[in-house]
Amino acid sequence: MKKAQIKQFIEWVKEGYGSPEEFAKILDQGIEMLFYLEDDVFTKREIQEVVTALRRIIDFIR
């Protein structure tokens, strides 16, 4: 990401969630929700890809 994109992303997070930490909490909750998906909705691989992306975002903003 370019510096301007990072700055814009951080501002979006602050405006929408108050702080990067609060946004990270929401993303963590999203990961937890994935554990309660019904069978055969998504492939295991699709779910793993989503979790990986969410974890990377969480790590980036922390």
Side-chain angles (χ1 to χ4, degrees), residues 25-39 41-42 47 50-51 54-55:
K25 287 179 189 177
I26 297 297
L27 294 176
D28 278 332
Q29 287 176 340
I31 291 170
E32 289 298 316
M33 289 175 187
L34 290 172
F35 287 102
Y36 300 99
L37 289 174
E38 294 182 27
D39 292 339
V41 175
F42 300 102
I47 294 168
V50 170
V51 169
L54 291 171
R55 290 263 183 231

Side-chain angles (χ1 to χ4, degrees), residues 1-9 60:
M1 286 181 125
K2 296 177 183 178
K3 287 183 181 182
Q5 290 172 312
I6 293 169
K7 184 177 179 182
Q8 183 179 13
F9 178 75
F60 174 76

